[in-house]
């Protein structure tokens, strides 16, 4: 079998045209996934499945916004420990069921700062002072650098990110 291409059958301009057409159709197909779709309301309303009512809706994202030093990170770690340990905390929320697969991605604080915060949070929640929490720390790194580490983790039941502004 002769693997050479007869240059008289396919000219360079023809090849360029076919490659261009292929690339155009590939791009159009890729971009179609981002086109708006019409969504129609459902007749039957579903009960919301809250992980921590009214703060964390199961299967959804929650963003805490506030001024610098307003306590967003403290709140994040408080919620993370509550989810991990299935706590019914004093206050306006309850946790339906514990989730041992809680992961906090820390892009902001030193390990010493986290340990001090966690100690205070554990005491405030009535947990043993040394109750741990799974934390992936990479202060100053973009989230894209950690993507592979997150993908390798077999299961993440609930992911907390501190801080989105650092990602």
């Amino acid at each position: 079998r002769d693997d050479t291409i007869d240059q008289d059958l396919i000219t360079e301009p023809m090849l360029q045209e076919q490659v261009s057409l292929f690339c155009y159709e590939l791009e159009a197909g890729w971009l179609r996934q981002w086109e708006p779709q019409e969504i129609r309301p459902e007749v039957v309303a579903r009960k919301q499945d809250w992980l921590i009512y009214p703060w964390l809706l199961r299967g959804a994202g929650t963003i805490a916004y506030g001024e610098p030093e307003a306590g967003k990170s403290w709140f994040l770690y408080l919620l993370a420990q509550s989810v991990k340990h299935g706590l019914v905390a004093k206050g306006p929320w309850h946790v339906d069921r514990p989730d041992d697969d809680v992961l906090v991605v820390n892009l902001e604080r030193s390990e010493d700062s986290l340990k001090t915060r966690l100690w205070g949070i554990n005491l405030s929640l009535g947990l043993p002072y040394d109750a741990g929490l799974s934390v992936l720390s990479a202060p100053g790194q973009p989230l894209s650098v950690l993507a592979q580490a997150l993908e390798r983790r077999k299961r993440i039941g609930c992911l907390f990110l501190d801080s989105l502004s650092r990602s």
Side-chain angles (χ1 to χ4, degrees):
R1 174 174 156 211
D2 187 5
D3 287 331
T4 61
I5 297 176
D6 186 349
Q7 291 185 0
D8 293 333
L9 292 176
I10 300 176
T11 65
E12 188 172 328
M14 290 170 60
L15 182 59
Q16 286 177 341
E17 180 182 349
Q18 289 300 312
V19 169
S20 293
L21 181 62
F22 171 78
C23 291
Y24 174 78
E25 289 175 356
L26 181 65
E27 179 184 33
W30 172 255
L31 292 176
R32 246 183 255 115
Q33 70 181 329
W34 306 116
E35 290 179 1
Q37 297 179 17
E38 185 169 336
I39 297 175
R40 301 202 181 263
E42 292 183 1
V43 176
V44 179
R46 294 181 185 160
K47 182 181 176 211
Q48 297 296 329
D49 187 13
W50 292 97
L51 191 57
I52 297 181
Y53 179 83
W55 303 104
L56 299 177
L57 186 59
R58 188 175 303 279
T62 299
I63 296 176
Y65 172 79
E67 296 296 321
E69 305 297 318
K72 298 176 298 295
S73 294
W74 282 98
F75 184 61
L76 177 142
Y77 284 95
L78 183 73
L79 291 177
Q81 277 296 68
S82 294
V83 171
K84 179 174 181 179
H85 295 283
L87 299 178
V88 175
K90 295 176 185 171
W93 68 72
H94 68 276
V95 178
D96 288 335
R97 40 193 186 262
D99 192 335
D100 288 333
D101 295 316
V102 171
L103 176 64
V104 176
V105 176
N106 166 45
L107 302 177
E108 194 166 279
R109 308 189 184 291
S110 70
E111 188 174 322
D112 287 341
S113 172
L114 291 179
K115 288 177 181 179
T116 302
R117 280 177 186 253
L118 199 54
W119 178 83
I121 287 167
N122 286 346
L123 290 179
S124 72
L125 292 173
L127 291 171
Y129 76 92
D130 61 349
L133 182 64
S134 184
V135 178
L136 175 59
S137 287
Q141 296 298 313
L143 191 55
S144 59
V145 170
L146 305 174
Q148 285 185 342
L150 293 172
E151 288 173 5
R152 280 194 308 267
R153 191 170 167 108
K154 292 184 188 220
R155 183 175 183 283
I156 299 173
C158 192
L159 177 71
F160 293 86
L161 174 62
D162 188 19
S163 155
L164 187 60
S165 66
R166 304 277 194 260
S167 65

